[in-house]
PDB file of all heavy atoms in Angstrom:
ATOM      1  N   LEU K 119     -22.403  -8.605   3.559  1.00 98.00           N
ATOM      2  CA  LEU K 119     -22.959  -7.697   4.558  1.00 98.00           C
ATOM      3  C   LEU K 119     -21.972  -7.355   5.670  1.00 98.00           C
ATOM      4  O   LEU K 119     -22.184  -6.387   6.407  1.00 98.00           O
ATOM      5  CB  LEU K 119     -24.220  -8.312   5.172  1.00 98.00           C
ATOM      6  CG  LEU K 119     -25.455  -8.312   4.271  1.00 98.00           C
ATOM      7  CD1 LEU K 119     -26.491  -9.295   4.787  1.00 98.00           C
ATOM      8  CD2 LEU K 119     -26.045  -6.904   4.184  1.00 98.00           C
ATOM      9  N   TYR K 120     -20.918  -8.111   5.790  1.00 98.00           N
ATOM     10  CA  TYR K 120     -19.992  -7.902   6.904  1.00 98.00           C
ATOM     11  C   TYR K 120     -19.416  -6.491   6.895  1.00 98.00           C
ATOM     12  O   TYR K 120     -19.404  -5.797   7.919  1.00 98.00           O
ATOM     13  CB  TYR K 120     -18.862  -8.934   6.862  1.00 98.00           C
ATOM     14  CG  TYR K 120     -18.021  -8.962   8.119  1.00 98.00           C
ATOM     15  CD1 TYR K 120     -18.457  -9.663   9.244  1.00 98.00           C
ATOM     16  CD2 TYR K 120     -16.796  -8.297   8.174  1.00 98.00           C
ATOM     17  CE1 TYR K 120     -17.688  -9.695  10.403  1.00 98.00           C
ATOM     18  CE2 TYR K 120     -16.035  -8.318   9.333  1.00 98.00           C
ATOM     19  CZ  TYR K 120     -16.481  -9.016  10.442  1.00 98.00           C
ATOM     20  OH  TYR K 120     -15.731  -9.039  11.595  1.00 98.00           O
ATOM     21  N   SER K 121     -18.973  -6.036   5.742  1.00 97.00           N
ATOM     22  CA  SER K 121     -18.341  -4.720   5.649  1.00 97.00           C
ATOM     23  C   SER K 121     -19.331  -3.581   5.881  1.00 97.00           C
ATOM     24  O   SER K 121     -18.931  -2.453   6.148  1.00 97.00           O
ATOM     25  CB  SER K 121     -17.677  -4.548   4.278  1.00 97.00           C
ATOM     26  OG  SER K 121     -18.642  -4.610   3.246  1.00 97.00           O
ATOM     27  N   ARG K 122     -20.613  -3.890   5.813  1.00 98.00           N
ATOM     28  CA  ARG K 122     -21.625  -2.856   5.999  1.00 98.00           C
ATOM     29  C   ARG K 122     -21.942  -2.617   7.476  1.00 98.00           C
ATOM     30  O   ARG K 122     -22.637  -1.644   7.803  1.00 98.00           O
ATOM     31  CB  ARG K 122     -22.901  -3.219   5.241  1.00 98.00           C
ATOM     32  CG  ARG K 122     -22.639  -3.558   3.773  1.00 98.00           C
ATOM     33  CD  ARG K 122     -23.842  -3.400   2.911  1.00 98.00           C
ATOM     34  NE  ARG K 122     -24.201  -1.988   2.753  1.00 98.00           N
ATOM     35  CZ  ARG K 122     -24.976  -1.523   1.776  1.00 98.00           C
ATOM     36  NH1 ARG K 122     -25.447  -2.349   0.856  1.00 98.00           N
ATOM     37  NH2 ARG K 122     -25.276  -0.253   1.713  1.00 98.00           N
ATOM     38  N   PHE K 123     -21.417  -3.502   8.345  1.00 98.00           N
ATOM     39  CA  PHE K 123     -21.664  -3.360   9.776  1.00 98.00           C
ATOM     40  C   PHE K 123     -20.398  -3.344  10.625  1.00 98.00           C
ATOM     41  O   PHE K 123     -20.444  -2.844  11.758  1.00 98.00           O
ATOM     42  CB  PHE K 123     -22.569  -4.497  10.264  1.00 98.00           C
ATOM     43  CG  PHE K 123     -23.993  -4.396   9.813  1.00 98.00           C
ATOM     44  CD1 PHE K 123     -24.417  -5.019   8.646  1.00 98.00           C
ATOM     45  CD2 PHE K 123     -24.921  -3.682  10.554  1.00 98.00           C
ATOM     46  CE1 PHE K 123     -25.738  -4.927   8.232  1.00 98.00           C
ATOM     47  CE2 PHE K 123     -26.250  -3.586  10.158  1.00 98.00           C
ATOM     48  CZ  PHE K 123     -26.658  -4.205   8.987  1.00 98.00           C
ATOM     49  N   GLU K 124     -19.303  -3.918  10.134  1.00 97.00           N
ATOM     50  CA  GLU K 124     -18.123  -4.032  10.985  1.00 97.00           C
ATOM     51  C   GLU K 124     -17.658  -2.648  11.458  1.00 97.00           C
ATOM     52  O   GLU K 124     -17.794  -1.666  10.720  1.00 97.00           O
ATOM     53  CB  GLU K 124     -16.995  -4.760  10.240  1.00 97.00           C
ATOM     54  CG  GLU K 124     -16.430  -4.023   9.034  1.00 97.00           C
ATOM     55  CD  GLU K 124     -15.219  -4.732   8.465  1.00 97.00           C
ATOM     56  OE1 GLU K 124     -14.489  -5.412   9.207  1.00 97.00           O
ATOM     57  OE2 GLU K 124     -14.994  -4.590   7.264  1.00 97.00           O
ATOM     58  N   PRO K 125     -17.133  -2.551  12.669  1.00 98.00           N
ATOM     59  CA  PRO K 125     -16.895  -3.614  13.658  1.00 98.00           C
ATOM     60  C   PRO K 125     -18.082  -3.847  14.602  1.00 98.00           C
ATOM     61  O   PRO K 125     -17.941  -4.560  15.595  1.00 98.00           O
ATOM     62  CB  PRO K 125     -15.713  -3.054  14.438  1.00 98.00           C
ATOM     63  CG  PRO K 125     -16.011  -1.577  14.482  1.00 98.00           C
ATOM     64  CD  PRO K 125     -16.616  -1.252  13.135  1.00 98.00           C
ATOM     65  N   ASN K 126     -19.220  -3.266  14.284  1.00 98.00           N
ATOM     66  CA  ASN K 126     -20.347  -3.277  15.224  1.00 98.00           C
ATOM     67  C   ASN K 126     -21.253  -4.485  14.999  1.00 98.00           C
ATOM     68  O   ASN K 126     -22.428  -4.369  14.650  1.00 98.00           O
ATOM     69  CB  ASN K 126     -21.120  -1.971  15.100  1.00 98.00           C
ATOM     70  CG  ASN K 126     -20.239  -0.776  15.384  1.00 98.00           C
ATOM     71  OD1 ASN K 126     -19.609  -0.702  16.438  1.00 98.00           O
ATOM     72  ND2 ASN K 126     -20.169   0.152  14.438  1.00 98.00           N
ATOM     73  N   ILE K 127     -20.671  -5.669  15.203  1.00 98.00           N
ATOM     74  CA  ILE K 127     -21.363  -6.939  15.031  1.00 98.00           C
ATOM     75  C   ILE K 127     -21.206  -7.703  16.340  1.00 98.00           C
ATOM     76  O   ILE K 127     -20.100  -8.125  16.696  1.00 98.00           O
ATOM     77  CB  ILE K 127     -20.777  -7.734  13.849  1.00 98.00           C
ATOM     78  CG1 ILE K 127     -20.913  -6.915  12.560  1.00 98.00           C
ATOM     79  CG2 ILE K 127     -21.457  -9.088  13.715  1.00 98.00           C
ATOM     80  CD1 ILE K 127     -20.168  -7.500  11.379  1.00 98.00           C
ATOM     81  N   PHE K 128     -22.293  -7.856  17.072  1.00 98.00           N
ATOM     82  CA  PHE K 128     -22.222  -8.328  18.441  1.00 98.00           C
ATOM     83  C   PHE K 128     -22.941  -9.668  18.623  1.00 98.00           C
ATOM     84  O   PHE K 128     -24.104  -9.821  18.261  1.00 98.00           O
ATOM     85  CB  PHE K 128     -22.844  -7.297  19.381  1.00 98.00           C
ATOM     86  CG  PHE K 128     -22.290  -5.904  19.194  1.00 98.00           C
ATOM     87  CD1 PHE K 128     -23.136  -4.839  18.920  1.00 98.00           C
ATOM     88  CD2 PHE K 128     -20.930  -5.670  19.271  1.00 98.00           C
ATOM     89  CE1 PHE K 128     -22.639  -3.564  18.736  1.00 98.00           C
ATOM     90  CE2 PHE K 128     -20.408  -4.395  19.088  1.00 98.00           C
ATOM     91  CZ  PHE K 128     -21.265  -3.339  18.820  1.00 98.00           C
ATOM     92  N   SER K 129     -22.227 -10.617  19.212  1.00 98.00           N
ATOM     93  CA  SER K 129     -22.774 -11.927  19.546  1.00 98.00           C
ATOM     94  C   SER K 129     -23.177 -11.931  21.010  1.00 98.00           C
ATOM     95  O   SER K 129     -22.359 -11.630  21.892  1.00 98.00           O
ATOM     96  CB  SER K 129     -21.735 -13.017  19.302  1.00 98.00           C
ATOM     97  OG  SER K 129     -22.111 -14.234  19.915  1.00 98.00           O
ATOM     98  N   ALA K 130     -24.429 -12.283  21.291  1.00 97.00           N
ATOM     99  CA  ALA K 130     -24.935 -12.242  22.668  1.00 97.00           C
ATOM    100  C   ALA K 130     -24.086 -13.076  23.614  1.00 97.00           C
ATOM    101  O   ALA K 130     -23.869 -12.695  24.771  1.00 97.00           O
ATOM    102  CB  ALA K 130     -26.384 -12.713  22.703  1.00 97.00           C
ATOM    103  N   GLN K 131     -23.579 -14.204  23.102  1.00 93.00           N
ATOM    104  CA  GLN K 131     -22.832 -15.102  23.981  1.00 93.00           C
ATOM    105  C   GLN K 131     -21.398 -14.640  24.231  1.00 93.00           C
ATOM    106  O   GLN K 131     -20.674 -15.255  25.006  1.00 93.00           O
ATOM    107  CB  GLN K 131     -22.828 -16.514  23.389  1.00 93.00           C
ATOM    108  CG  GLN K 131     -22.228 -16.603  22.002  1.00 93.00           C
ATOM    109  CD  GLN K 131     -22.483 -17.944  21.344  1.00 93.00           C
ATOM    110  OE1 GLN K 131     -21.782 -18.911  21.623  1.00 93.00           O
ATOM    111  NE2 GLN K 131     -23.482 -18.010  20.487  1.00 93.00           N
ATOM    112  N   GLU K 132     -21.010 -13.533  23.601  1.00 97.00           N
ATOM    113  CA  GLU K 132     -19.617 -13.090  23.706  1.00 97.00           C
ATOM    114  C   GLU K 132     -19.466 -11.646  24.165  1.00 97.00           C
ATOM    115  O   GLU K 132     -18.348 -11.131  24.233  1.00 97.00           O
ATOM    116  CB  GLU K 132     -18.921 -13.304  22.361  1.00 97.00           C
ATOM    117  CG  GLU K 132     -18.904 -14.777  21.946  1.00 97.00           C
ATOM    118  CD  GLU K 132     -18.354 -15.003  20.551  1.00 97.00           C
ATOM    119  OE1 GLU K 132     -17.441 -14.277  20.160  1.00 97.00           O
ATOM    120  OE2 GLU K 132     -18.839 -15.917  19.867  1.00 97.00           O
ATOM    121  N   VAL K 133     -20.576 -10.954  24.478  1.00 98.00           N
ATOM    122  CA  VAL K 133     -20.487  -9.564  24.929  1.00 98.00           C
ATOM    123  C   VAL K 133     -21.307  -9.376  26.199  1.00 98.00           C
ATOM    124  O   VAL K 133     -22.181 -10.184  26.520  1.00 98.00           O
ATOM    125  CB  VAL K 133     -20.997  -8.579  23.850  1.00 98.00           C
ATOM    126  CG1 VAL K 133     -20.184  -8.701  22.568  1.00 98.00           C
ATOM    127  CG2 VAL K 133     -22.484  -8.783  23.570  1.00 98.00           C
ATOM    128  N   GLY K 134     -21.009  -8.289  26.919  1.00 97.00           N
ATOM    129  CA  GLY K 134     -21.789  -7.947  28.104  1.00 97.00           C
ATOM    130  C   GLY K 134     -21.838  -9.075  29.112  1.00 97.00           C
ATOM    131  O   GLY K 134     -20.810  -9.623  29.508  1.00 97.00           O
ATOM    132  N   THR K 135     -23.043  -9.448  29.509  1.00 97.00           N
ATOM    133  CA  THR K 135     -23.234 -10.520  30.491  1.00 97.00           C
ATOM    134  C   THR K 135     -23.203 -11.907  29.855  1.00 97.00           C
ATOM    135  O   THR K 135     -23.370 -12.903  30.545  1.00 97.00           O
ATOM    136  CB  THR K 135     -24.579 -10.345  31.214  1.00 97.00           C
ATOM    137  OG1 THR K 135     -25.636 -10.391  30.248  1.00 97.00           O
ATOM    138  CG2 THR K 135     -24.626  -9.007  31.948  1.00 97.00           C
ATOM    139  N   ARG K 136     -23.040 -11.956  28.542  1.00 97.00           N
ATOM    140  CA  ARG K 136     -22.990 -13.212  27.778  1.00 97.00           C
ATOM    141  C   ARG K 136     -24.294 -14.015  27.881  1.00 97.00           C
ATOM    142  O   ARG K 136     -24.288 -15.246  27.795  1.00 97.00           O
ATOM    143  CB  ARG K 136     -21.791 -14.062  28.193  1.00 97.00           C
ATOM    144  CG  ARG K 136     -20.465 -13.430  27.783  1.00 97.00           C
ATOM    145  CD  ARG K 136     -19.249 -14.186  28.281  1.00 97.00           C
ATOM    146  NE  ARG K 136     -18.035 -13.733  27.626  1.00 97.00           N
ATOM    147  CZ  ARG K 136     -17.414 -12.577  27.875  1.00 97.00           C
ATOM    148  NH1 ARG K 136     -17.906 -11.758  28.786  1.00 97.00           N
ATOM    149  NH2 ARG K 136     -16.317 -12.236  27.219  1.00 97.00           N
ATOM    150  N   GLU K 137     -25.388 -13.316  28.053  1.00 97.00           N
ATOM    151  CA  GLU K 137     -26.703 -13.958  28.121  1.00 97.00           C
ATOM    152  C   GLU K 137     -27.414 -13.814  26.784  1.00 97.00           C
ATOM    153  O   GLU K 137     -27.447 -12.733  26.185  1.00 97.00           O
ATOM    154  CB  GLU K 137     -27.544 -13.309  29.216  1.00 97.00           C
ATOM    155  CG  GLU K 137     -26.987 -13.543  30.614  1.00 97.00           C
ATOM    156  CD  GLU K 137     -27.704 -12.707  31.653  1.00 97.00           C
ATOM    157  OE1 GLU K 137     -27.777 -11.490  31.503  1.00 97.00           O
ATOM    158  OE2 GLU K 137     -28.196 -13.317  32.640  1.00 97.00           O
ATOM    159  N   ALA K 138     -27.978 -14.915  26.303  1.00 95.00           N
ATOM    160  CA  ALA K 138     -28.653 -14.930  25.006  1.00 95.00           C
ATOM    161  C   ALA K 138     -30.046 -14.320  25.111  1.00 95.00           C
ATOM    162  O   ALA K 138     -30.626 -14.221  26.197  1.00 95.00           O
ATOM    163  CB  ALA K 138     -28.741 -16.362  24.487  1.00 95.00           C
ATOM    164  N   LYS K 139     -30.572 -13.915  23.977  1.00 96.00           N
ATOM    165  CA  LYS K 139     -31.984 -13.552  23.908  1.00 96.00           C
ATOM    166  C   LYS K 139     -32.795 -14.789  24.325  1.00 96.00           C
ATOM    167  O   LYS K 139     -32.394 -15.899  24.008  1.00 96.00           O
ATOM    168  CB  LYS K 139     -32.370 -13.170  22.472  1.00 96.00           C
ATOM    169  CG  LYS K 139     -31.548 -12.065  21.850  1.00 96.00           C
ATOM    170  CD  LYS K 139     -31.898 -11.914  20.364  1.00 96.00           C
ATOM    171  CE  LYS K 139     -30.953 -11.000  19.640  1.00 96.00           C
ATOM    172  NZ  LYS K 139     -31.237 -10.918  18.186  1.00 96.00           N
ATOM    173  N   PRO K 140     -33.888 -14.631  25.076  1.00 96.00           N
ATOM    174  CA  PRO K 140     -34.741 -13.452  25.217  1.00 96.00           C
ATOM    175  C   PRO K 140     -34.309 -12.446  26.269  1.00 96.00           C
ATOM    176  O   PRO K 140     -35.045 -11.491  26.525  1.00 96.00           O
ATOM    177  CB  PRO K 140     -36.093 -14.058  25.584  1.00 96.00           C
ATOM    178  CG  PRO K 140     -35.740 -15.278  26.360  1.00 96.00           C
ATOM    179  CD  PRO K 140     -34.521 -15.840  25.681  1.00 96.00           C
ATOM    180  N   LEU K 141     -33.147 -12.616  26.914  1.00 97.00           N
ATOM    181  CA  LEU K 141     -32.648 -11.589  27.822  1.00 97.00           C
ATOM    182  C   LEU K 141     -32.108 -10.426  27.000  1.00 97.00           C
ATOM    183  O   LEU K 141     -31.645 -10.602  25.870  1.00 97.00           O
ATOM    184  CB  LEU K 141     -31.585 -12.178  28.734  1.00 97.00           C
ATOM    185  CG  LEU K 141     -32.121 -13.260  29.690  1.00 97.00           C
ATOM    186  CD1 LEU K 141     -30.988 -13.886  30.482  1.00 97.00           C
ATOM    187  CD2 LEU K 141     -33.158 -12.669  30.628  1.00 97.00           C
ATOM    188  N   PRO K 142     -32.117  -9.205  27.539  1.00 98.00           N
ATOM    189  CA  PRO K 142     -31.805  -8.019  26.744  1.00 98.00           C
ATOM    190  C   PRO K 142     -30.327  -7.712  26.573  1.00 98.00           C
ATOM    191  O   PRO K 142     -29.963  -6.707  25.936  1.00 98.00           O
ATOM    192  CB  PRO K 142     -32.494  -6.894  27.537  1.00 98.00           C
ATOM    193  CG  PRO K 142     -32.450  -7.368  28.954  1.00 98.00           C
ATOM    194  CD  PRO K 142     -32.657  -8.867  28.871  1.00 98.00           C
TER     195      PRO K 142
END
Side-chain angles (χ1 to χ4, degrees):
L119 286 163
Y120 191 82
S121 62
R122 308 202 70 161
F123 288 92
E124 66 173 331
N126 301 305
I127 300 170
F128 308 124
S129 166
Q131 58 191 279
E132 299 174 35
V133 300
T135 60
R136 292 175 167 74
E137 294 171 305
K139 304 172 190 176
L141 295 175

